[in-house]
């Protein structure tokens, strides 16, 4: 019997087999959960459905949902409510910034680029939590993904670092707001991994190559390690934990400028 046997969860952000959300999906199913997976648009649908099929009957629904579109969020949760009267956990692995905002001087960030990064990377957690909460009458767990760039200056992370800082503040406020409903809200902060979005950041590969040399555990982060931590947060073992940010980065958050921090 696994940690999540009998539980059902909703995961946003599965894009391909390298995505953090996919690591979460695999760990959740291994621990006995049933899942609902979303995809952003036609471009991602085929990959997400193929991955979902590899999990067999554990995936109960694969549906489109752009969290910046209120009508899509409502449509998704109507489908979820038809499947279950109690959603046990929700994982939010959604973020975006324009690529040209992730290089050069931060002071050159455009107003629309700043607003877009905040909307997609931070506000969508509010939208997803607001929609999920009524489906968690017995309580539940909400988990999101942040990064060390929220705490330290990481080269070329720029506006995304500011958005992740806002996301972490959102976690704390949601934890307080939803706590009386026995809904826990936490964030995991993975280290550098070779996800599709990360490799687009200038200089990322050079920093990534150094991790096995300088990280206290002498290894880079694996999405499966992130998935296992999310499975813990989705389980009853974390029932007294809320408003936290847990680093899953082989200890890199302890370090100074050798990995780009200040």
């Amino acid at each position: 019997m696994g940690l999540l046997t009998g539980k059902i969860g909703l995961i946003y952000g599965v894009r391909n087999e390298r995505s953090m959300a996919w690591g979460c999906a695999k760990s959740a199913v291994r621990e006995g959960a049933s899942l609902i997976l979303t995809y952003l648009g036609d471009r991602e649908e085929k990959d997400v459905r193929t991955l979902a099929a590899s999990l067999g009957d554990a995936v109960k629904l694969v549906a489109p949902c752009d969290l910046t579109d209120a009508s899509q969020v409502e449509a998704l949760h109507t489908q979820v409510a038809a499947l279950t009267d109690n959603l046990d956990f929700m994982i939010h692995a959604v973020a975006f910034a324009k690529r040209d905002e992730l290089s050069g001087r931060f002071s050159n960030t455009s107003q629309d680029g700043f607003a877009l990064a905040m909307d997609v990377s931070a506000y969508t957690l509010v939208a997803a939590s607001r929609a999920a909460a009524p489906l968690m009458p017995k309580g539940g767990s909400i988990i999101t993904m942040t990064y060390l760039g929220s705490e330290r200056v990481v080269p070329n992370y720029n506006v995304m670092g500011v958005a992740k800082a806002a996301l972490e503040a959102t976690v704390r406020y949601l934890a307080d707001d939803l706590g009386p409903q026995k809904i826990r809200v936490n964030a995991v902060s993975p280290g550098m991994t070779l996800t599709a979005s990360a490799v687009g950041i200038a200089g990322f590969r050079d920093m990534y190559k150094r991790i096995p040399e300088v990280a206290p555990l002498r290894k880079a982060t694996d999405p499966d390690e992130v998935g296992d931590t999310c499975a813990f947060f989705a389980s009853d073992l974390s029932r007294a934990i809320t408003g936290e940010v847990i680093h899953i980065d082989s200890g890199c958050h302890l370090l100074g400028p050798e990995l780009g921090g200040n």
Side-chain angles (χ1 to χ4, degrees):
M1 188 168 176
L3 289 177
L4 302 177
T5 298
K7 294 185 181 296
I8 184 166
L10 168 61
I11 301 181
Y12 296 97
V14 174
R15 293 180 60 192
N16 54 50
E17 62 184 6
R18 293 189 296 168
S19 61
M20 294 291 186
W22 177 237
C24 294
K26 290 190 295 180
S27 292
V29 169
R30 185 197 67 221
E31 293 300 327
S34 298
L35 295 179
I36 298 152
L37 303 181
T38 72
Y39 58 88
L40 182 59
D42 294 342
R43 189 167 146 186
E44 287 87 10
E45 180 178 5
K46 181 179 178 181
D47 286 344
V48 174
R49 288 194 181 278
T50 298
L51 290 171
S54 72
L55 297 178
D57 294 340
V59 177
K60 304 304 181 184
L61 175 68
V62 179
C65 188
D66 178 348
L67 279 170
T68 66
D69 184 334
S71 63
Q72 289 194 36
V73 175
E74 181 179 0
L76 171 67
H77 284 78
T78 297
Q79 292 178 279
V80 174
L83 280 175
T84 179
D85 58 3
N86 191 78
L87 184 68
D88 295 289
F89 63 93
M90 183 267 284
I91 297 174
H92 170 275
V94 178
F96 180 78
K98 294 180 180 179
R99 180 166 291 190
D100 56 4
E101 305 284 7
L102 300 178
S103 61
R105 299 184 63 183
F106 172 68
S107 57
N108 289 332
T109 302
S110 67
Q111 185 174 7
D112 66 317
F114 189 97
L116 179 63
M118 285 289 183
D119 188 24
V120 178
S121 308
Y123 183 74
T124 56
L125 177 62
V126 180
S129 299
R130 182 171 57 240
L135 299 179
M136 295 179 167
K138 301 176 184 178
S141 178
I142 294 172
I143 306 141
T144 190
M145 304 277 171
T146 185
Y147 175 59
L148 187 62
S150 64
E151 305 171 40
R152 299 182 180 181
V153 175
V154 173
N156 299 312
Y157 205 56
N158 289 8
V159 70
M160 186 57 77
V162 178
K164 290 296 190 182
L167 178 70
E168 291 178 17
T170 299
V171 165
R172 292 186 285 273
Y173 278 89
L174 284 172
D176 178 66
D177 188 45
L178 299 177
Q181 297 170 242
K182 298 183 179 179
I183 297 174
R184 311 183 308 282
V185 187
N186 293 287
V188 296
S189 184
M192 293 180 176
T193 56
L194 293 174
T195 61
S197 55
V199 296
I201 299 172
F204 173 85
R205 290 184 184 275
D206 290 336
M207 289 189 287
Y208 179 80
K209 288 177 183 176
R210 297 193 62 204
I211 292 173
E213 302 171 8
V214 299
L217 292 180
R218 296 297 190 267
K219 63 180 291 299
T221 304
D222 188 296
D224 290 345
E225 296 165 341
V226 179
D228 287 351
T229 305
C230 285
F232 163 73
F233 271 129
S235 79
D236 294 339
L237 293 181
S238 66
R239 61 190 176 276
I241 303 174
T242 196
E244 290 289 347
V245 177
I246 300 297
H247 296 87
I248 313 162
D249 62 0
S250 297
C252 286
H253 66 284
L254 306 174
L255 305 179
E258 55 264 62
L259 280 180
N262 281 349

